[in-house]
Amino acid sequence: MRIVVKIGTSTLAHPTGHLNIRRVEALCKTMSDIKNAGHELILVSSGAIGMGVGKLGLRQRPQDIPTKQAAAAVGQCELMYVYDKLFSEYHHTVAQLLITNDNMVNETRHQNFTNTLNRLLELGALPIINENDTVATDEIVIGDNDTLAAKVAETVNADLLILLSDIDGLYTADPHKDPDAVLLHKVTKIDDYILNLAGVSSTKQGTGGMVTKLHAAQICLDCGCDMVIANGKEPANLYAILDGRDVGTMFTCK
Ligand code: GLU
């Protein structure tokens, strides 16, 4: 299978903004094993701004664009350093791709991006993609990595996109407030009922919430790629999803 895994900031980092070493180690180990089993893997990783905030010792996530972009420049190095180190332990070679919406909408650039991604997969490398936050301004920004990951899945004709977040999936109500909230295991259509459920969940550290995840799901449903929202707290969820067990919320037209 060709699989895109997206990891959100809240999965990668502690609330302090520093790396959650135990979790990231477990995730890299699991993804290495999945690659060893013969699957093709692409990682879309958030966390550049979050890591930069931690490394620069900023008190909070910046609001102004230059500081955000500076934090992303620092944090992206940290992210790739960690991924390179951890995946190397399992003999996997990582490759960094930083893109903007230009690479999605401009035909030539999109073709170049697609060619590079496909060649990296042929070479057995593990592409790790993020938005090029240091240069992405309003007119060229994708804005959130859920959408970016879905567009990547569409670009490479992936079979499956897994969004790892700090929530278990899509609930019928806020599970923190409503004891009757039920996790939906399978969604085949993003209709008004599903869209209305988006408000019941949000993440604190990252950019996305359920709204961007449902947007990503629509992109995936339109191109015939399955998508799962699952909790990144449990890296073993990745195995469970591939084993076809009911983990998180699966969006599929099958
Ligand atoms: N590209 C952003 C970062 O690396 C994250 C965007 C998102 O979480 O959706 O900090």
Side-chain angles (χ1 to χ4, degrees):
M1 275 216 286
R2 188 169 272 196
I3 306 162
V4 179
V5 176
K6 181 258 174 175
I7 308 184
T9 306
S10 55
T11 297
L12 285 171
H14 289 290
T16 57
H18 293 291
L19 188 72
N20 187 328
I21 296 172
R22 180 166 50 174
R23 185 172 303 154
V24 174
E25 279 187 352
L27 278 169
C28 290
K29 185 175 175 183
T30 309
M31 287 188 283
S32 294
D33 197 26
I34 287 171
K35 224 169 122 48
N36 284 351
H39 297 292
E40 285 180 323
L41 207 61
I42 294 173
L43 180 57
V44 173
S45 177
S46 301
I49 299 172
M51 292 287 139
V53 168
K55 206 160 183 208
L56 288 167
L58 305 178
R59 275 204 211 103
Q60 61 198 27
R61 211 178 154 89
Q63 296 306 317
D64 66 297
I65 291 172
T67 317
K68 247 191 216 170
Q69 298 197 322
V74 170
Q76 185 64 30
C77 290
E78 172 81 353
L79 265 184
M80 287 312 294
Y81 168 73
V82 168
Y83 283 131
D84 194 15
K85 181 169 176 283
L86 295 176
F87 282 112
S88 292
E89 284 180 19
Y90 302 101
H91 312 291
H92 290 298
T93 301
V94 298
Q96 172 183 258
L97 292 96
L98 297 177
I99 63 164
T100 62
N101 203 37
D102 251 10
N103 301 94
M104 292 296 174
V105 295
N106 177 297
E107 209 179 312
T108 314
R109 288 182 197 183
H110 187 247
Q111 194 54 55
N112 286 338
F113 171 59
T114 311
N115 294 346
T116 308
L117 256 181
N118 282 325
R119 183 52 50 87
L120 282 167
L121 291 173
E122 281 163 20
L123 291 167
L126 170 48
I128 301 184
I129 305 176
N130 196 358
E131 179 140 32
N132 196 350
D133 295 311
T134 55
V135 296
T137 44
D138 278 354
E139 63 285 2
I140 52 165
V141 82
I142 297 171
D144 71 87
N145 277 2
D146 297 324
T147 306
L148 170 60
K151 288 186 173 179
V152 167
E154 183 183 28
T155 297
V156 298
N157 292 318
D159 301 293
L160 178 64
L161 166 63
I162 302 173
L163 300 181
L164 291 179
S165 186
D166 57 357
I167 37 161
D168 292 333
L170 182 63
Y171 280 90
T172 54
D174 185 344
H176 303 295
K177 294 185 192 142
D178 185 345
D180 295 329
V182 176
L183 178 69
L184 297 175
H185 282 298
K186 188 171 167 182
V187 174
T188 54
K189 209 169 121 205
I190 316 278
D191 52 19
D192 286 347
Y193 170 69
I194 296 293
L195 285 172
N196 279 331
L197 299 181
V200 303
S201 151
S202 68
T203 62
K204 288 183 207 79
Q205 283 164 283
T207 307
M210 200 44 86
V211 175
T212 57
K213 286 175 181 53
L214 292 183
H215 183 222
Q218 188 63 67
I219 295 172
C220 287
L221 287 174
D222 288 345
C223 68
C225 171
D226 290 343
M227 187 188 106
V228 177
I229 301 171
N231 204 319
K233 217 165 49 185
E234 273 308 321
N237 276 343
L238 288 173
Y239 289 126
I241 293 166
L242 297 187
D243 289 346
R245 279 183 267 148
D246 265 351
V247 173
T249 304
M250 159 83 91
F251 297 81
T252 180
C253 17
K254 288 161 208 152

